[in-house]
Amino acid sequence: QLQHKSRVGESMAERASRKFVDSHFHVWDTQNHGLTGHPPYLSKTFPVYLAQDYLNDVNTIQFASDAPEFVGGVFVEALSDSPALEAKWVVNNFSEHRNALKGIVAYADFSESTESIEKLLAEYAQINSTNNGIIKGIRQILNHHSNKSLTWPKVREANYFENPTWKKNFALLEKYSMSFDLQCNPEQLQDAAQFFKQFPNIPVVINHMGCITLSDDVNKYLSDAEEGEKRDVAKAQYIKIWEDGMAKMAELSHVYVKMSMYPFIHPQWHDKSHSVYGDVERLVKKTFELFGSKRCMFASNYPTDKEPPKGTPLCVIYQQFDRWSLEFLKTQEEREDLFYRSASKFYRIQ
């Protein structure tokens, strides 16, 4: 007997079993700095974005006829000036939606003294003791570029991996059974691979697929680009830098990758009529080839990826990845890895 197909190659039973964990989202309140530590530059469009706002956006996926079951999401630090305060605020902000918050990735600056980092990690452990181990890991944004305008906030060193204090403090993550969220530029990935190779017991996940961009001014990301170099040449060079770095990272079995922040790659990343669509599709396919479905996880990066003028509706982001999962992943099990199992394993979500 034939079964009704809700998507190509998918039975109703398979559809009913599909689940969705959002491995990377933010909430913030820039209008209550004393309570959250969130700086005003986070968002001009959404100065306040709370748990209910996030869940409203998630519901735009739920309204689709082939919507998966939303299991919950992982909050990732939002550049707070008071990281422990931020973690406590996030827990409180989700007090009426506790099942939706499956984890917190908190902040630490490992270039600070070991004494201060030990104190901060101990404070996180205390929060965990009363909240079922909600804090899963640490993120410190490392995106540094010789062009200062391309260096992210709070990044004060060109190569933290060469800082012995940073290395000593990073090693503490194993003691506290925490993971690390890596956000860096493509040209930093090879150094990152050399560093993380020394710490096989600390799980690492690359944020936003290595932060590659194919924007119209991509040549500015190449430090040695010639004046007026053609965009297509610069784009090809940058993709090669990204691919070589991602390949090195993929050699490490404890390294995963988040599929997210596509408006940063290009505002028209999902527009099939735009020339960049094929480039983005090849980047996605290459990432699947390098890491396999068991180390790839889907993420919304909301509300950052909602921010106009480059933002994309969350339902569109999900639907595009749903299509790519059908195109590039061979089995239903692999698609479940992408949307549910990989994130659940990495962040120890029950």
Side-chain angles (χ1 to χ4, degrees), residues 282-337:
R282 284 186 286 275
L283 295 177
V284 171
K285 184 178 181 181
K286 174 56 69 173
T287 302
F288 284 144
E289 290 173 353
L290 288 172
F291 288 86
S293 65
K294 294 189 181 302
R295 291 193 287 151
C296 291
M297 58 184 83
F298 172 80
S300 73
N301 194 36
Y302 251 50
T304 304
D305 282 4
K306 183 181 183 178
E307 189 86 25
K310 297 181 179 181
T312 307
L314 183 50
C315 60
V316 174
I317 295 174
Y318 175 82
Q319 288 164 1
Q320 180 60 63
F321 265 87
D322 202 25
R323 285 192 290 269
W324 277 335
S325 74
L326 287 167
E327 185 174 352
F328 299 134
L329 300 177
K330 297 179 181 179
T331 67
Q332 177 66 13
E333 181 178 353
E334 289 178 321
R335 293 190 285 275
E336 288 174 359
D337 289 337

Side-chain angles (χ1 to χ4, degrees), residues 209-258:
M209 221 171 76
C211 293
I212 186 170
T213 181
L214 303 179
S215 59
D216 294 337
D217 55 354
V218 64
N219 58 330
K220 72 181 181 181
Y221 284 85
L222 293 165
S223 303
D224 57 351
E226 296 180 8
E227 187 71 25
E229 187 169 33
K230 291 183 178 180
R231 177 183 177 275
D232 286 347
V233 175
K235 182 182 72 174
Q237 290 177 343
Y238 207 49
I239 289 174
K240 183 67 165 59
I241 291 170
W242 171 85
E243 187 173 320
D244 289 347
M246 291 289 278
K248 284 294 182 184
M249 291 293 283
E251 291 175 3
L252 307 178
S253 62
H254 63 296
V255 173
Y256 291 58
V257 60
K258 291 182 181 180

Side-chain angles (χ1 to χ4, degrees), residues 48 102 126 147 149 162 205 226:
V48 179
K102 296 303 183 185
Q126 181 60 37
N147 181 339
S149 68
E162 294 180 346
V205 60
E226 296 180 8

Side-chain angles (χ1 to χ4, degrees), residues 67-178:
E69 174 194 350
F70 177 62
V71 174
V74 177
F75 166 84
V76 178
E77 63 87 18
L79 297 170
S80 173
D81 296 322
S82 305
L85 201 62
E86 177 189 50
K88 294 174 184 176
W89 174 81
V90 170
V91 170
N92 290 333
N93 192 240
F94 275 84
S95 59
E96 296 182 9
H97 313 281
R98 186 62 187 85
N99 289 336
L101 182 66
K102 296 303 183 185
I104 291 175
V105 177
Y107 175 81
D109 181 353
F110 289 143
S111 65
E112 295 180 358
S113 70
T114 299
E115 181 182 4
S116 65
I117 294 300
E118 283 269 25
K119 182 179 179 181
L120 179 60
L121 295 180
E123 192 167 359
Y124 289 153
Q126 181 60 37
I127 295 172
N128 275 348
S129 69
T130 55
N131 292 281
N132 297 316
I134 194 66
I135 299 178
K136 307 294 185 177
I138 297 295
R139 179 174 82 157
Q140 180 181 356
I141 291 175
L142 306 179
N143 300 70
H144 184 276
H145 198 278
S146 55
N147 181 339
K148 290 184 179 180
S149 68
L150 304 179
T151 294
W152 287 57
K154 296 190 177 185
V155 179
R156 292 181 287 272
E157 297 183 26
N159 192 344
Y160 285 100
F161 303 126
E162 294 180 346
N163 182 330
T165 299
W166 203 92
K167 180 177 181 179
K168 180 180 180 181
N169 291 334
F170 177 85
L172 292 172
L173 292 176
E174 183 173 359
K175 172 183 174 181
Y176 287 89
S177 300
M178 287 185 169

